Amino acid sequence: MIGLKKIFISILFCMAASMAYGESLFYEDEPVRDGINVFNVSDTFADIYEKLAGVNWGGKNINIAIESLEKLNPNAHVAATDERVVLVWGDSIIANYPRPAFADWKGFGEITTALLLKLREYDPALRGLSESELYQNVVSVLMQGIDENGRYIFSRQAETSEDGRILTTVGITGARDGRGNFRVHGIFKGAPADVAGIHPGDIISTINGRAVSKISDWELESVLSGYNSGTSKIKLLTPSGDRDVVLRRATVVLADTDVIHRSNPDTGGILEIVVHNISDNAVGIINEALAKYDSLSGIILDLRATTGDDERAAAKMAGLFIGPMPAMRIVETARDEVEVVPGGAAVTDAPMVVLMSNMTRGTAEALAGAIYENERGVLVGTPTAGAARIASRIDLNNGGALELLNKSIKTGKGRAIDGRGIFPIVCLSNIRTEQQRDVFFLNVINNNFNAQDFNKDEDIAPDVIRRGCPTITSGADEDAVAAAVAVKILTDKKVYNNLVAQ
């Protein structure tokens, strides 16, 4: 084994003296190598390095190292000194370049491209990547250990010109029955199948004149979803009779929020709001629903699988419930925090239950914290992820962009969320049976609710709290318990008031 000692030295923030970078590693009369334009790719990597150098990481001093490229393949090893950058594959040196000077972004862009060309000679998977995918993979390894969600966003123009592919679907989910036909289980709202009037339970017997039972699973999947548009003529077997339908695949946009109204003529009913992503679109959907159902006995805000990285959208959503109160604080640098306050008055004062879990992430955690701190609802579920970050989108010269979760979030009152999370007042994992629910609510009614509010006790380690309120392993159990507990809290004023007062 070659005795190269691995030296991790930052390429972006190291002020050590470096050897001046010489002439270009590539020849102008050979712009395309291994199917990529080396000058264009080098320019994009130079742009990426330069943009990363100017990022504030929530007050932390972060180094981005070229050695991270070795994470692209376990056989690769990158050793860097003040003078050289060496690439080793297994026991052999396969590349040896002079190290660029500090802040020589053009030089680092070229050396990154050169290293990738060498790696592609030895790694078939890397060789099969398109140009956009190459950027995405390199940004991913550069971000490991800093921002696991940091990524390169494809330039739509570049992506389409490279491979011309956009994923589309007819909007059907289902499975084969015992005869090999395809039984529809679900329909994407607004998808071609929905527009065509296909319903769960319908059976697809033939596609383009061929019996589905004779079509392979691969062929069936390629008909239902694929790249770019595709037309299929299918025969449906439905309870009302057989019919022929023409389906054309299309790009389907899923709503960021679903709203379900459980009507009750006496109380106005309960509005269940299931948020998938906190966005302006989600805010609009919720605002419209609250205006439509303005007399409610309660609201269930389901954030159990909610994410978000837009602080403005999160503030707008919080404002619907808490009005112009501090919703969160954004930590941009070690000394700078920005308080985010909704601009308008609350549009509802209905009692609320907020459902949350370990999949509640980002600005969804801040939203739960804002409702808790302003005593606008009861937090129910299990601890949130503690991954409360805000994204910065940095446009690149090639039309793509970097998306970096480099700003951390605190609650409006300054409690840390990132790395800690928000904790429920009612822990669902401790209420598994009807008997446990009955005992729990009896204790609440009798003012014997002795659970501790861990959101106020920052001395207790988050792992200790999570062990006491673990994730529920059965999704069916969690759904059933969450629904029963939420409805009980919202329909019993004494229970609700006691829990909010905690």
Side-chain angles (χ1 to χ4, degrees):
M1 181 72 181
I2 294 177
L4 283 175
K5 183 178 180 182
K6 190 172 186 179
I7 307 171
F8 287 95
I9 301 174
S10 166
I11 68 167
L12 297 186
F13 304 104
C14 176
M15 295 303 295
S18 299
M19 181 177 180
Y21 195 70
E23 297 180 357
S24 173
L25 296 176
F26 307 114
Y27 299 106
E28 290 187 4
D29 57 351
E30 294 182 26
V32 177
R33 291 180 55 184
D34 194 20
I36 63 175
N37 187 306
V38 293
F39 296 105
N40 291 344
V41 170
S42 297
D43 287 345
T44 297
F45 282 129
D47 193 25
I48 288 172
Y49 283 127
E50 184 173 6
K51 298 289 173 57
L52 288 176
V55 172
N56 288 318
W57 295 89
K60 300 175 183 177
N61 184 22
I62 298 297
N63 293 336
I64 310 294
I66 198 169
E67 291 92 336
S68 297
L69 294 176
E70 66 183 27
K71 297 173 185 175
L72 291 169
N73 190 291
N75 294 315
H77 169 67
V78 179
T81 69
D82 289 348
E83 297 183 354
R84 310 295 297 180
V85 176
V86 179
L87 174 62
V88 179
W89 185 274
D91 293 339
S92 304
I93 295 176
I94 60 174
N96 187 346
Y97 304 111
R99 182 189 178 98
F102 170 72
D104 178 5
W105 312 123
K106 178 175 172 30
F108 279 115
E110 285 201 359
I111 203 170
T112 298
T113 303
L115 290 172
L116 288 172
L117 287 172
K118 281 294 182 183
L119 286 172
R120 283 161 70 100
E121 292 178 14
Y122 290 81
D123 186 338
L126 277 177
R127 192 161 54 248
L129 296 180
S130 69
E131 193 172 300
S132 289
E133 290 169 333
L134 201 62
Y135 300 141
Q136 188 177 48
N137 277 264
V138 170
V139 170
S140 177
V141 297
L142 290 176
M143 292 293 96
Q144 286 181 23
I146 301 169
D147 172 13
E148 66 277 10
N149 295 299
R151 63 191 181 117
Y152 170 84
I153 304 172
F154 286 170
S155 158
R156 178 54 59 118
Q157 181 179 359
E159 180 186 10
T160 305
S161 64
E162 282 175 22
D163 52 28
R165 300 184 303 170
I166 300 177
L167 186 63
T168 58
T169 178
V170 298
I172 290 177
T173 64
R176 291 185 187 272
D177 61 17
R179 297 182 177 179
N181 294 322
F182 186 87
R183 183 177 294 275
V184 177
H185 291 166
I187 300 292
F188 296 172
K189 186 177 180 180
D194 183 34
V195 174
I198 298 176
H199 302 286
D202 291 349
I203 294 175
I204 300 176
S205 61
T206 67
I207 297 177
N208 295 330
R210 295 178 60 195
V212 172
S213 59
K214 305 295 184 181
I215 297 176
S216 69
D217 291 341
W218 180 86
E219 288 177 294
L220 180 59
E221 177 64 24
S222 68
V223 167
L224 301 180
S225 64
Y227 291 98
N228 296 328
S229 61
T231 303
S232 300
K233 297 181 179 180
I234 69 173
K235 180 176 287 294
L236 279 180
L237 308 180
T238 75
S240 58
D242 300 351
R243 65 190 186 98
D244 295 323
V245 176
V246 176
L247 292 180
R248 292 179 176 85
R249 293 197 302 266
T251 301
V252 175
V253 178
L254 301 180
D256 288 338
T257 295
D258 294 318
V259 177
I260 304 164
H261 181 230
R262 303 177 184 176
S263 62
N264 185 310
D266 297 324
T267 65
I270 293 175
L271 192 66
E272 183 177 357
I273 303 170
V274 183
V275 183
H276 310 296
N277 179 49
I278 295 183
S279 64
D280 286 338
N281 177 49
V283 174
I285 293 171
I286 296 172
N287 192 31
E288 183 178 342
L290 292 174
K292 181 178 180 180
Y293 306 107
D294 57 353
S295 178
L296 296 166
S297 60
I299 296 170
I300 300 174
L301 184 63
D302 192 341
L303 304 180
R304 287 179 297 166
T306 309
T307 186
D309 55 24
D310 184 338
E311 66 268 35
R312 290 170 296 181
K316 292 177 187 176
M317 189 174 292
L320 298 176
F321 307 109
I322 68 173
M325 303 295 292
M328 70 190 81
R329 296 182 186 181
I330 310 301
V331 183
E332 296 186 340
T333 69
R335 292 178 294 180
D336 297 326
E337 292 185 6
V338 177
E339 188 176 71
V340 181
V341 181
V347 299
T348 180
D349 59 0
M352 292 180 64
V353 166
V354 179
L355 300 179
M356 56 194 210
S357 76
N358 65 321
M359 295 300 291
T360 306
R361 308 172 69 86
T363 53
E365 298 183 80
L367 175 59
I371 291 171
Y372 158 78
E373 288 189 334
N374 289 277
E375 298 183 355
R376 273 294 289 118
V378 180
L379 304 186
V380 174
T382 54
T384 65
R389 294 286 185 98
I390 295 292
S392 292
R393 180 175 173 129
I394 303 171
D395 292 331
L396 297 172
N397 296 333
N398 75 332
L402 297 174
E403 187 174 78
L404 311 172
L405 297 178
N406 62 309
K407 305 174 188 176
S408 63
I409 308 174
K410 292 182 178 180
T411 68
K413 294 185 178 180
R415 295 188 178 97
I417 304 177
D418 191 39
R420 184 170 181 82
I422 300 292
F423 306 112
I425 302 301
V426 179
C427 175
L428 283 184
S429 53
N430 294 331
I431 308 174
R432 298 297 184 90
T433 66
E434 284 191 31
Q435 183 178 8
Q436 288 173 323
R437 289 201 297 270
D438 292 342
V439 170
F440 173 81
F441 287 122
L442 181 62
N443 288 339
V444 172
I445 291 172
N446 293 328
N447 292 316
N448 190 29
F449 179 61
N450 58 3
Q452 189 172 1
D453 182 358
F454 293 108
N455 292 299
K456 296 177 181 177
D457 193 346
E458 297 185 10
D459 292 332
I460 299 181
D463 289 344
V464 173
I465 302 171
R466 286 182 167 82
R467 284 197 294 270
C469 185
T471 300
I472 299 174
T473 55
S474 169
D477 287 350
E478 182 177 347
D479 287 342
V481 174
V485 171
V487 170
K488 173 64 176 178
I489 292 172
L490 292 174
T491 54
D492 191 317
K493 289 186 177 179
K494 188 170 184 179
V495 169
Y496 180 81
N497 292 335
N498 284 355
L499 289 173
V500 169
Q502 295 300 317

